[in-house]
Amino acid sequence: MRILHVASEVYPLMKTGGLADVCASLPAAQRELGHDTRIVMPAYADAVAIVEPMTEIASCAIEGLPDPVRILETHLPKGDVPVWLVDYPPAFWRPGNPYQDADGHPWADNAERFATLCRAAVEIARNRAGLDWQPDIVHCHDWQTGLVAPLLGADRNVKTVFTIHNLAYQGLFPREVFEDLGLAEDLWGHDGLEFHGAMSFIKGGIIFNDWLTTVSPTYAKEIQTIEFGCGLDDLLQQRSDRLIGIVNGIDEREWDPSTDRWLTHHYDADQLHLKYENKRELSEEKGLQYNDDVVLVGLVSRLVEQKGIDLVIQAIPHLMDEPVRFVILGTGQSELERQLMDLAIGYHDYVSVAIGYDEGLAHRIEASADIFLMPSRFEPCGLSQMYSLRYGTVPIVRNTGGLTDTVIHADPLTLADGNATGIVFSEATSTALVAAVQYALKLYHQGESWQRMMKNGMRRDVSWGPSARAYLKLYAR
Ligand code: ADP
Ligand code: GLC
């Protein structure tokens, strides 16, 4: 099959979160299964700067733009997937975060920028971009690609799939933007892009694609409820016969403790003592006490409401009498950044905080920590808990979305039958989080059952294998 993925971030060209990991590793897995998979994304300044060579292979006119867009080509470093970058300097030629400026404000022209991405993808999908290639399937990811299917229209010889990675981000803009974009009037309205008087990109994704997916079976159910539906639950219920949840896989070459390029000490399930060399090294580097009895708790996250970071901030002071140390990496809302820094100052022997985006440190925390925290309020899938499983780092997660689908809670039964892989707690409160950490510490000090849990996690299949096939099955339908 010829498959075109359309995405706003693709690792390593641009990444702010798991979307980038998935939009690189899923196409690579499909290509390994013998399919002709390609990716289209924006030619951000930072993306163009890190990949060489980058060849201009076409240029095409786009409705509403004074100049043609150029299409640059490169390949993903792994799996050799062709990537087409839509080069339109007024839209994409600015450094930094793809969605917001350095102060955290969304770029004022986001609607125009991602409409340009969508329009270029439509030209490619119709084989009108001068690339001499036409997909059978166009697979769009998140709100930034929500206009692809509406712009393709009903009269099309490609089928389309839209994956919701996170329903909380919807691409909402004032009605005037709809007019400025020059969209056909029949795309407006309740059955179109209108959402309470505003224009919604994600509604375009939900209404106009042949099939909808989201990134775990539990989240697929959750988004059809008021609690998680972000105002779109009714619409998603109406489309429920065309909505399925397929859990993400991970890139097993990028995230492998036996080869990870960011680690000094490689290890696998048979050499867990080497994992502790990583723990020793990172603890010393961060000024945290290291010994067998001290449990290192890691957290790597975007610092946003979704991730339950406030629960961690409230919980930490209540855990200071326990033999634990925290190593935290994240960037996001400035208030959360500030509160974390305050903790790091107040409890400097116990809590280390790095604010920023650091791919290498993320890998080292996954490898070094005994426990990984993910107390998310909601979590469409989550990749970090799967990286943790692979690295023998026991995840403590909240019972929601993909966390529910990927971590098996340690209770007497699952511990005995060798299925337990982590600790799952329910209430989104700091009290419940403290209790979950205390329970984990108790298991840790029981030694044998902890080691077994680490190994159970390392043995779990978190590869793309089954899920890449599930997507192909869907395309075939
Ligand atoms: P989300 O996509 O909601 O952020 P996921 O768990 O799916 O959550 O994916 C998060 C990805 O982003 C992981 O690869 C994680 O390592 C990475 N990540 C998050 N924050 C940082 C950071 N500050 N530095 C480096 N990597 C980060
Ligand atoms: C989103 C979700 C996360 C998911 C990722 C990749 O960013 O928040 O749960 O793992 O997309 O699908």
Side-chain angles (χ1 to χ4, degrees):
M1 269 183 274
R2 289 183 301 268
I3 305 150
L4 180 68
H5 287 273
V6 190
S8 60
E9 47 183 284
V10 179
Y11 181 79
L13 295 157
M14 177 53 73
K15 170 169 168 177
T16 71
L19 174 65
D21 291 356
V22 170
C23 292
S25 53
L26 171 61
Q30 292 174 335
R31 208 164 176 90
E32 254 168 47
L33 292 170
H35 297 275
D36 181 1
T37 310
R38 306 183 186 211
I39 301 170
V40 56
M41 68 175 286
Y44 303 111
D46 291 353
V48 175
I50 61 164
V51 269
E52 299 287 345
M54 181 89 76
T55 336
E56 177 179 344
I57 53 161
S59 81
C60 68
I62 299 275
E63 200 189 322
L65 295 186
D67 300 309
V69 301
R70 301 192 309 153
I71 310 285
L72 312 177
E73 184 179 69
T74 184
H75 289 81
L76 287 187
K78 299 211 176 98
D80 212 34
V81 182
V83 184
W84 289 326
L85 296 105
V86 177
D87 187 23
Y88 194 69
F92 303 124
W93 200 250
R94 58 189 84 164
N97 188 290
Y99 315 122
Q100 56 192 37
D101 64 20
D103 297 327
H105 302 299
W107 298 112
D109 54 351
N110 271 346
E112 290 82 359
R113 296 170 72 230
F114 293 108
T116 298
L117 170 67
C118 293
R119 285 190 152 126
V122 166
E123 292 307 303
I124 295 171
R126 291 203 177 121
N127 198 10
R128 290 199 315 214
L131 294 164
D132 193 23
W133 185 86
Q134 181 161 37
D136 304 306
I137 300 286
V138 179
H139 189 153
C140 299
H141 300 267
D142 268 358
W143 75 261
Q144 295 86 353
T145 64
L147 298 187
V148 172
L151 289 168
L152 266 173
D155 180 22
R156 58 189 188 223
N157 53 0
V158 295
K159 295 288 176 191
T160 64
V161 175
F162 184 76
T163 295
I164 299 167
H165 293 263
N166 194 331
L167 192 62
Y169 300 95
Q170 304 189 349
L172 295 179
F173 301 94
R175 152 91 209 194
E176 302 80 72
V177 168
F178 179 84
E179 272 139 40
D180 295 346
L181 290 175
L183 295 166
E185 196 53 38
D186 62 1
L187 290 178
W188 189 251
H190 184 70
D191 299 328
L193 304 179
E194 179 184 1
F195 185 67
H196 302 293
M199 171 188 174
S200 164
F201 270 57
I202 206 166
K203 257 191 95 188
I206 294 173
I207 293 179
F208 293 92
N209 283 274
D210 295 302
W211 276 86
L212 303 177
T213 75
T214 186
V215 288
S216 68
T218 295
Y219 192 61
K221 287 191 215 118
E222 286 173 343
I223 55 177
Q224 298 180 54
T225 66
I226 288 187
E227 191 185 354
F228 296 97
C230 304
L232 292 163
D233 35 297
D234 277 349
L235 183 59
L236 288 161
Q237 275 174 33
Q238 284 163 30
R239 294 227 62 197
S240 62
D241 61 331
R242 289 292 181 110
L243 165 64
I244 58 168
I246 300 176
V247 78
N248 289 328
I250 69 166
D251 180 339
E252 290 194 301
R253 281 172 297 190
E254 192 68 25
W255 292 91
D256 179 350
S258 68
T259 55
D260 189 322
R261 69 197 147 113
W262 304 100
L263 304 185
T264 355
H265 307 282
H266 292 132
Y267 64 93
D268 57 27
D270 298 325
Q271 298 171 31
L272 281 177
H273 61 284
L274 293 172
K275 175 174 167 65
Y276 297 105
E277 291 302 312
N278 293 297
K279 176 179 172 184
R280 178 206 302 277
E281 201 176 86
L282 188 67
S283 302
E284 284 169 1
E285 182 183 312
K286 297 291 180 189
L288 302 173
Q289 188 187 17
Y290 169 83
N291 66 50
D292 284 354
D293 290 332
V294 171
V295 174
L296 187 63
V297 180
L299 184 152
V300 178
S301 184
R302 293 185 293 117
L303 303 178
V304 292
E305 156 109 14
Q306 171 192 349
K307 301 293 180 178
I309 305 300
D310 52 321
L311 305 181
V312 178
I313 291 168
Q314 287 163 34
I316 284 178
H318 297 281
L319 289 162
M320 290 295 96
D321 291 335
E322 307 281 355
V324 279
R325 300 293 181 271
F326 289 87
V327 55
I328 296 173
L329 166 65
T331 174
Q333 286 167 10
S334 47
E335 183 56 22
L336 292 171
E337 292 185 350
R338 194 187 57 72
Q339 290 176 9
L340 283 172
M341 287 312 294
D342 285 350
L343 275 181
I345 293 165
Y347 301 100
H348 53 88
D349 290 337
Y350 298 86
V351 183
S352 158
V353 173
I355 298 296
Y357 182 87
D358 185 337
E359 189 74 28
L361 183 56
H363 282 246
R364 292 174 62 221
I365 291 176
E366 287 284 9
S368 307
D370 298 294
I371 290 174
F372 193 91
L373 284 189
M374 254 174 120
S376 308
R377 291 205 155 72
F378 68 95
E379 195 61 74
C381 179
L383 298 174
S384 295
Q385 82 283 7
M386 292 197 269
Y387 301 147
S388 302
L389 293 175
R390 191 114 204 274
Y391 281 64
T393 305
V394 175
I396 297 186
V397 303
R398 241 202 96 227
N399 193 7
T400 185
L403 301 175
T404 305
D405 294 339
T406 56
V407 179
I408 300 172
H409 179 60
D411 59 26
L413 204 70
T414 57
L415 280 169
D417 66 17
N419 280 320
T421 58
I423 286 132
V424 184
F425 70 99
S426 289
E427 298 264 315
T429 62
S430 61
T431 315
L433 176 57
V434 168
V437 174
Q438 285 168 334
Y439 175 54
L441 296 178
K442 200 176 108 204
L443 290 176
Y444 177 89
H445 288 105
Q446 285 170 7
E448 204 194 315
S449 52
W450 188 263
Q451 291 263 327
R452 206 168 334 125
M453 192 151 58
M454 291 167 75
K455 290 185 181 176
N456 293 344
M458 294 178 92
R459 272 198 303 270
R460 296 286 297 187
D461 182 4
V462 286
S463 73
W464 266 110
S467 298
R469 284 193 188 83
Y471 277 111
L472 292 169
K473 217 169 122 191
L474 175 67
Y475 300 160
R477 283 172 83 176

